[in-house]
Amino acid sequence: GVYLYNPSFTLGVSMAHINEPKFGLGSQNGQNPLKRAAYLTGSMLVGLSYTLDLTPMFVVKSDLSTISAEAGAIATYDNRFYFGGSYRWDDAATAMIGANLLNNSLRLGYAF
């Protein structure tokens, strides 16, 4: 894959299991293929004020026959505390909260 990083935005494109390998679980008859999957990801840092940043993000995944899309955002206060959420279309929603600790060397959070 390819991942572009800038302090203001990220953009990535990748593909997993390009050759669709197969593996067995102790049986010669059963083969389990790993399906090919392509990913497109991105985010952007938006400074709302001196102490509040918003980072919208997206992920699009495809097995080249179906597409799954997810979008969300994280708000960061004073570069220490964050909260956010995301939604995967027709599937799931997530909420998260956390803090950057030890001079931003440890990120501790909870998601539901």
Side-chain angles (χ1 to χ4, degrees):
V2 176
Y3 185 71
L4 272 67
Y5 171 80
N6 180 299
S8 299
F9 72 91
T10 64
L11 185 63
V13 178
S14 64
M15 184 169 281
H17 312 300
I18 293 173
N19 61 348
E20 293 187 324
K22 295 184 174 123
F23 65 95
L25 297 173
S27 168
Q28 293 180 359
N29 297 334
Q31 292 292 316
N32 299 300
L34 293 172
K35 292 196 134 224
R36 184 178 300 126
Y39 299 89
L40 173 66
T41 63
S43 67
M44 176 183 277
L45 179 63
V46 179
L48 299 177
S49 71
Y50 183 72
T51 57
L52 187 62
D53 294 327
L54 182 67
T55 307
M57 60 198 161
F58 71 91
V59 177
V60 178
K61 176 185 174 185
S62 175
D63 62 2
L64 308 181
S65 64
T66 61
I67 294 176
S68 171
E70 181 174 342
I74 295 175
T76 306
Y77 175 74
D78 199 23
N79 204 25
R80 294 193 62 207
F81 305 102
Y82 64 90
F83 64 94
S86 66
Y87 178 72
R88 185 179 313 125
W89 271 262
D90 294 331
D91 188 28
T94 335
M96 65 187 85
I97 188 167
N100 295 321
L101 306 171
L102 304 173
N103 293 326
N104 290 335
S105 61
L106 175 66
R107 189 171 214 187
L108 183 64
Y110 178 79
F112 181 76

